[in-house]
Amino acid sequence: MRTDRYSIVSLLRETVRGHTGWKPAWRDAAPAARYDVIIVGGGGHGLATAFYLASRYGIRNVAVVEKGWIGGGNVGRNTTIVRSNYLLPGNVPFYEQSMKLWEGLEQDINYNAMVSQRGVLNLFHSDAQRNAYVRRGNAMRLHGVDAELLDAGTVRRKLPFLNFDDARFPILGGLLQPRGGTVRHDAVAWGYARAADRLGVDIIQNCEVTGFLTEGGRVTGVETTRGPIGAGKVGLACAGNSSRVASMAGLRLPIESHVLQAFVSEGLKPFIDCVVTFGAGHFYISQSDKGGLVFGGDIDGYNSYAQRGNMPVIEDVCEGGMALMPRIGRVRLLRHWGGLMDMSMDGSPIIDRTPRDGLYLNAGWCYGGFKATPASGLCFAHLLARDEPHAVATAYRLDRFARGAVIDEKGMGAQPNLH
Amino acid sequence: MRITCPCCGERGLDEFSYRGDATLSRPAGDPPLPGAGAEAWAEYVYLRDNPSGPHRELWYHGAGCRSWLVVTRNTRTHEILDTERAVNVVRATRKDAEA
C-alpha cells in the first residue's frame, strides 16, 4: 500500500515495515499537450502558486516547468529567515499575510517545514535609529503585526555575548518581532511540490522554456526543450532569470540580476536563539538546528548570473559579524555560496499582468523572496485565476515605476547610489 | 574578479564602484526637459536589458585614478572582456555622430 499522508500513523507503520513503503514525494511528470495554467519556474514561488491554484482556486490542470531540478535555485540558497516587520502600507499587509500562511503551512501541505518562530531582533545603535525603529514598530502594530521595543538591558539579558559597548556602534536596544523566525527552506520546496502534485499539478523538471507560443499577440503556451506546451495562461516566476525569460516575449523589465552571498559555519552548540541583525552595517545571523551559524549581508552590487560572488563582500560580511559578536571570530566557515537576486528598481516585488495577453509576471523579489513565498504563491494564484490582484498585493503593479508610485521600503533597488 | 584599469593596471574589485548598464542614454533634448517624453524617461530610469552574457557597464576607479571606465564583462562567468576609459568612449561616439 502506498504511504500517502505523512502522520504519526504512517511513520509507525513504516517503522514496522523497515521504511520500505515510502514513495517519491512527487511524480516525475512528462509534459502534456495543454494545461489551463503553466507556471514557468519551479522554485518556492512557482510551486506555491501551483499549490494555491489547485487548493484554493480549484484550477488543477496546471504544470510547473523548471529548467533544473526542484530545490536547486534560490529556495535552497537563502538564509531561511521569515518576518513581516515592514513599514509601508503597500508592504505590511502582504508580508503579514505571508507570515499567517507560514504559521499554518505544515497543516496546509502535510509536511514538516520546521517552521520556528524564534523571533527576529533588529538592533539599533543610535538615537536616530531608535526613533526609526519605534516608527516601524508602531506601523507594524497599527497593522496588527507583533512588535516589541527592547532596551539595551533586555537585549543584554537575551544575548549577553554581543558587543554592547563598541565605541563606534554601541547597542542601544532592538526591535523584536517575536513571530518571525526561520523555516527549513528545502522542506518548503519539497512540501509545496508534494502537496501540489497530490492535487494533480504536473511538476516537469529539466524542461527549459526557450520561447513563447503566440496567437494574434496573445501568449498561448511555451516552447521548451521538451517540446511545445499549450496553455490558457502562462505565469512567470523565474526570479533571477525573469529578464531573460520575459525578453523572449519582447518585454524589458525594471529588474537587474545581482548576486547575493550566504554563509554557513561549522556546527556549534546552541547559543543564538533568535535571528539577529546588525543595525550599523548589513549583517544578519541565526543558528540552524544542526548548529551551524547561517549568515549573510549585502549583495555584491554588480549584474551577475554566475551564482557566485567575490571577496570584498565576504570581507564586509565578516567585518559586520565581528563588530556585532566578536566571539565568532575563530569559528570556521563550512560553506558559502551565491544566488541570483531579481533586484527591482524600488526594492519591492511585482505581481501583475504584463502588456502581453495571457502572460503574467511574478518577479522583483530582491533579496527578500523566501519570506514572501506563501503570500506570493497565493496572490499570484489569485491573479491567474481571477484576473485581478489579490487584496494584499494591489500595490505590486508593473506600471508603478512609470506612474511614479514606487514602493521604496529601503529607498534603494538594484543601484542604491550610496557610495 | 579583478579589473584591469587602462591607467593603473590590474586591481582588486574593492577599489571600484559599480554604476550599472553603460548602454543607456538619456532621452534626447538639450537640456532634456522633465515631463517631455515621460515614457522615454521612465524607460531610461527603470528598464534594463539585464543580459545573461556580455554586458557593457560603468565602473568608477575611486581608490585609484578616479576614472570612469566602460567595462565589458560576461555576467555568466565574471570574465572581463574589455576595459576602456569612459571619456574615450564618449569622444568616439561624438566623433561618429559628427562624421
Side-chain angles (χ1 to χ4, degrees):
Chain A
M1 197 191 88
R2 184 176 164 157
T3 303
D4 249 4
R5 198 178 158 73
Y6 294 160
S7 68
I8 185 72
V9 178
S10 66
L11 185 61
L12 288 173
R13 192 169 59 220
E14 288 306 322
T15 307
V16 173
R17 285 186 191 160
H19 297 287
T20 52
W22 299 116
K23 292 287 183 286
W26 60 87
R27 294 165 294 130
D28 188 15
R34 193 179 185 286
Y35 294 92
D36 291 340
V37 177
I38 292 178
I39 312 290
V40 182
H45 292 221
L47 294 167
T49 305
F51 169 72
Y52 291 114
L53 267 176
S55 66
R56 301 220 177 171
Y57 297 94
I59 300 174
R60 299 191 173 195
N61 185 19
V62 175
V64 177
V65 296
E66 164 58 42
K67 74 175 162 62
W69 39 279
I70 298 302
N74 287 348
V75 72
R77 285 171 178 266
N78 55 75
T79 47
T80 77
I81 298 166
V82 300
R83 58 184 174 85
S84 57
N85 51 357
Y86 281 73
L87 173 70
L88 299 182
N91 280 334
V92 192
F94 176 83
Y95 286 99
E96 180 56 13
Q97 171 78 63
S98 207
M99 185 55 78
K100 284 177 182 153
L101 288 169
W102 283 122
E103 289 173 326
L105 179 76
E106 292 163 325
Q107 287 68 41
D108 279 354
I109 62 175
N110 179 228
Y111 204 95
N112 178 11
M114 295 163 66
V115 176
S116 164
Q117 294 182 287
R118 59 185 69 181
V120 171
L121 178 64
N122 300 131
L123 299 172
F124 52 79
H125 308 266
S126 67
D127 290 343
Q129 200 172 24
R130 180 182 180 279
N131 291 347
Y133 278 12
V134 168
R135 178 172 176 238
R136 178 175 295 263
N138 284 338
M140 289 163 65
R141 293 176 79 125
L142 283 170
H143 280 92
V145 185
D146 59 324
E148 284 174 37
L149 195 74
L150 308 185
D151 60 24
T154 312
V155 176
R156 200 184 277 267
R157 278 191 295 280
K158 193 173 164 60
L159 301 163
F161 49 84
L162 298 183
N163 189 11
F164 284 90
D165 303 316
D166 187 85
R168 203 164 160 209
F169 304 121
I171 295 169
L172 304 184
L175 183 67
L176 176 72
Q177 185 186 15
R179 283 162 65 242
T182 61
V183 180
R184 170 85 199 280
H185 50 5
D186 303 308
V188 173
W190 301 331
Y192 270 125
R194 175 173 172 274
D197 177 83
R198 286 162 59 96
L199 293 170
V201 172
D202 278 358
I203 294 164
I204 307 164
Q205 303 180 66
N206 300 309
C207 181
E208 182 173 358
V209 168
T210 54
F212 291 95
L213 305 173
T214 56
E215 222 175 86
R218 186 185 166 84
V219 172
T220 56
V222 291
E223 294 275 7
T224 74
T225 48
R226 296 174 71 174
I229 314 174
K233 291 173 181 175
V234 176
L236 304 183
C238 321
N241 282 297
S242 294
S243 297
R244 214 166 56 78
V245 179
S247 73
M248 296 174 196
L251 298 176
R252 279 177 95 214
L253 301 179
I255 286 175
E256 284 183 10
S257 298
H258 283 244
V259 56
L260 176 68
Q261 305 187 69
F263 309 83
V264 172
S265 80
E266 60 189 327
L268 303 168
K269 286 185 180 179
F271 75 103
I272 306 175
D273 66 354
C274 63
V275 179
V276 189
T277 74
F278 182 41
H282 198 172
F283 177 82
Y284 41 90
I285 188 166
S286 65
Q287 190 167 17
S288 79
D289 291 355
K290 282 196 290 189
L293 303 179
V294 184
F295 57 97
D298 271 324
I299 54 172
D300 271 40
Y302 45 81
N303 288 46
S304 173
Y305 283 84
Q307 290 192 314
R308 63 171 182 274
N310 275 290
M311 283 306 286
V313 165
I314 298 175
E315 216 176 302
D316 185 62
V317 169
C318 293
E319 280 169 1
M322 285 305 289
L324 178 66
M325 42 179 89
R327 67 147 47 175
I328 64 173
R330 311 227 7 215
V331 173
R332 283 167 296 189
L333 207 59
L334 190 66
R335 289 183 286 133
H336 113 276
W337 64 94
L340 303 194
M341 304 295 115
D342 37 334
M343 300 300 295
S344 67
M345 290 297 165
D346 60 354
S348 297
I350 298 155
I351 305 176
D352 201 359
R353 286 173 288 229
T354 69
R356 301 293 298 273
D357 280 345
L359 188 64
Y360 298 76
L361 180 68
N362 176 334
W365 294 97
C366 299
Y367 30 67
F370 179 68
K371 73 178 88 67
T373 304
S376 163
L378 179 71
C379 294
F380 201 34
H382 186 98
L383 177 72
L384 284 160
R386 304 266 173 87
D387 256 312
E388 61 183 22
H390 190 282
V392 298
T394 50
Y396 298 152
R397 313 306 293 269
L398 181 56
D399 67 356
R400 69 172 183 266
F401 300 94
R403 284 187 291 117
V406 292
I407 314 165
D408 51 348
E409 179 83 29
K410 291 189 74 182
M412 63 165 86
Q415 180 60 253
N417 292 334
L418 296 177
H419 45 70
Chain B
M1 199 163 105
R2 290 167 76 81
I3 295 176
T4 304
C5 173
C7 310
C8 314
E10 189 181 309
R11 294 302 181 103
L13 201 57
D14 45 2
E15 292 190 4
F16 298 86
S17 305
Y18 184 68
R19 185 65 184 87
D21 196 330
T23 63
L24 301 168
S25 55
R26 290 165 72 89
D30 191 23
L33 300 172
E39 264 178 38
W41 275 105
E43 201 170 299
Y44 166 68
V45 174
Y46 295 116
L47 299 190
R48 300 287 183 270
D49 287 336
N50 192 20
S52 170
H55 184 232
R56 278 169 72 78
E57 53 198 23
L58 288 165
W59 288 83
Y60 175 60
H61 196 184
C65 59
R66 301 166 84 185
S67 293
W68 281 94
L69 308 177
V70 175
V71 175
T72 310
R73 184 178 58 95
N74 187 334
T75 58
R76 291 187 86 86
T77 61
H78 293 171
E79 186 193 358
I80 309 271
L81 305 168
D82 187 41
T83 313
E84 46 192 329
R85 291 183 70 201
V87 64
N88 293 343
V89 176
V90 173
R91 277 181 194 141
T93 318
R94 277 199 193 137
K95 213 175 247 174
D96 286 349
E98 283 163 15

